[in-house]
């Protein structure tokens, strides 16, 4: 396999994971977990979301979290921004990047934010201008890129034309998100082949939810096309607000374990990631879905000796 040898992991647990928790996680606990993540070797942490606190009360302390964390050298702390108002709030805090969201599905975008895709794009343009004044980098995540609960499967053509609009507006980093976890590796390969051929200068990231157990297979399909940036969350925390049965993101320790064992450089320490997940498990009082967290790494397995069985 011809795969890229250096991979960037974007830890999204403190945003995508925490936002699904109905019990409020105290700000100090969030800060403790984010500080632990900063020690794993992960270089980008999606730290919080400046969403309307009435919509997601868990994110009501976004500014406090952003201002309360220790900033590790070499780590970028970013925030998810749903609209211009959120961007204005976010830019009052010290942060290293904004991530904006637009859904490729017209009906879902309308339902989610009450705007057409066109209206959302205009708003994103406004945020980009605002962020540029502060020299804050911005990337855009395209939600429901592989399928939508309201519109069904999404064709690469539709995603391509949306990326084209974003590139025209000056965006250079785009995340292709499988928000509800319906993608399969063939679909991912096809999508990324077309996107990378058409937009070679854009930095693409992939965001997968492991809803149907295809998360890491989808990562491999992305790697084979040359994708180097992947989102994941510690312990596989989270779920999906529009798909109640959905599981969370692919687990960071599962992703890092796979990439490190394959000899791809992530700079991330699997054991340190598991330490973070255990802090979350202890706090929530339940197990998180990560495989490696439950079974241990391969090295840990080889250290154990036991009766042979198949
Ligand atoms: Zn997500």
């Amino acid at each position: 396999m011809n795969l890229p040898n250096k991979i960037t992991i974007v830890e999204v647990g403190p945003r995508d994971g925490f936002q699904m928790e109905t019990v409020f996680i105290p700000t100090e606990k969030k800060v403790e977990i984010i500080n632990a993540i900063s020690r794993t070797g992960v270089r980008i942490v999606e730290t919080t979301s400046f969403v309307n606190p009435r919509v997601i009360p868990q994110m009501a302390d976004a500014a406090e979290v952003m201002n309360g964390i220790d900033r590790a050298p070499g780590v970028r702390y970013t925030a998810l921004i749903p609209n211009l108002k959120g961007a204005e709030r976010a830019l009052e805090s010290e942060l290293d990047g904004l991530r904006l969201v637009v859904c490729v599905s017209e009906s879902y975008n309308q339902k989610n934010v009450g705007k057409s895709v066109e209206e959302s794009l205009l708003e994103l343009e406004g945020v980009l201008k605002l962020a540029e004044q502060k020299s804050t980098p911005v990337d855009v995540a395209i939600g429901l890129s592989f399928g939508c609960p309201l519109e069904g499967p999404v064709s690469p053509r539709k995603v391509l034309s949306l990326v084209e609009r974003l590139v025209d507006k000056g965006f250079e980093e785009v995340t292709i998100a499988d928000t509800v976890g319906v993608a399969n590796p063939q679909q991912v390969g096809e999508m990324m082949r077309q996107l990378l051929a058409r937009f070679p200068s854009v930095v693409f990231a992939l965001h997968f939810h492991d809803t149907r157990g295809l998360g890491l297979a989808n990562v491999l399909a992305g790697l084979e096309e040359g994708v180097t940036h992947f989102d994941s969350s510690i312990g596989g925390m989270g779920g999906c607000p529009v798909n109640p049965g959905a599981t969370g993101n692919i687990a960071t320790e599962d992703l890092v374990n796979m990439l490190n064992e394959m000899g791809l450089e992530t700079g991330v320490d699997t054991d340190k990631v598991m330490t973070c997940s255990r802090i979350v498990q202890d706090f929530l009082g339940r197990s998180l879905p990560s495989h490696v967290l439950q079974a241990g790494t391969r090295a840990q397995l080889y250290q154990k000796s036991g009766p042979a069985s198949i």
Side-chain angles (χ1 to χ4, degrees), residues 147-296:
C148 164
L150 302 176
E151 295 188 5
V154 172
S155 77
R157 191 173 33 83
K158 219 169 161 185
V159 177
L160 252 78
S161 82
L162 186 51
V163 173
E164 187 153 45
R165 304 286 316 276
L166 292 169
V167 170
D168 287 346
K169 289 183 188 300
F171 291 100
E172 291 159 350
E173 292 179 39
V174 178
T175 299
I176 304 297
D178 182 21
T179 315
V180 285
V182 290
N184 66 57
Q186 194 176 33
Q187 220 183 343
V188 172
E190 187 58 34
M191 176 85 78
M192 297 320 296
R193 192 154 43 247
Q194 293 191 34
L195 284 171
L196 287 158
R198 177 101 164 257
F199 308 103
S201 62
V202 171
V203 177
F204 286 103
L206 280 166
H207 176 106
F208 294 120
H209 282 258
D210 201 25
T211 315
R212 292 173 178 81
L214 294 177
L216 290 183
N218 288 333
V219 168
L220 186 60
L223 286 170
E224 284 179 325
E225 298 307 324
V227 178
T228 54
H229 288 56
F230 295 91
D231 290 5
S232 59
S233 77
I234 49 169
M237 257 196 297
C240 173
V242 294
N243 190 352
T247 56
N249 300 90
I250 51 171
T252 304
E253 51 270 57
D254 292 352
L255 175 63
V256 170
N257 175 68
M258 177 179 95
L259 297 174
N260 287 353
E261 283 194 10
M262 288 168 71
L264 311 187
E265 193 191 325
T266 63
V268 184
D269 184 306
T270 310
D271 291 313
K272 288 181 180 168
V273 174
M274 288 197 282
T275 303
C276 301
S277 303
R278 286 192 192 102
I279 300 173
V280 177
Q281 282 193 155
D282 289 349
F283 175 77
L284 297 177
R286 65 166 199 270
S287 296
L288 293 173
S290 155
H291 293 282
V292 173
L293 186 63
Q294 304 309 326

Side-chain angles (χ1 to χ4, degrees), residues 14 18 23-37 39 47 58 60-70 276 279-280 283:
F18 287 177
V23 174
F24 188 76
I25 304 168
T27 307
E28 315 78 70
K29 188 50 88 176
K30 289 178 180 140
V31 167
E32 179 194 341
I33 295 162
I34 294 161
N35 286 346
I37 290 168
R39 295 189 283 270
T47 311
Q58 186 66 259
D61 58 355
E64 289 83 350
V65 169
M66 214 71 225
N67 298 326
I69 52 172
D70 297 331
C276 301
I279 300 173
V280 177
F283 175 77

Side-chain angles (χ1 to χ4, degrees), residues 121-155:
L121 285 174
L122 267 177
E123 188 159 23
L124 299 194
E125 206 172 356
V127 175
L128 182 64
K129 286 197 180 112
L130 195 67
E132 274 172 354
Q133 289 167 16
K134 296 219 172 188
S135 306
T136 305
V138 178
D139 84 292
V140 181
I142 300 182
L144 303 165
S145 288
F146 296 95
C148 164
L150 302 176
E151 295 188 5
V154 172
S155 77

Side-chain angles (χ1 to χ4, degrees), residues 18-58:
F18 287 177
Q19 76 178 11
M20 291 304 296
E21 295 301 326
T22 44
V23 174
F24 188 76
I25 304 168
T27 307
E28 315 78 70
K29 188 50 88 176
K30 289 178 180 140
V31 167
E32 179 194 341
I33 295 162
I34 294 161
N35 286 346
I37 290 168
S38 299
R39 295 189 283 270
T40 61
V42 163
R43 283 183 289 269
I44 304 177
V45 184
E46 194 168 287
T47 311
T48 187
S49 170
F50 285 84
V51 64
N52 184 342
R54 282 193 300 277
V55 179
I56 305 182
Q58 186 66 259

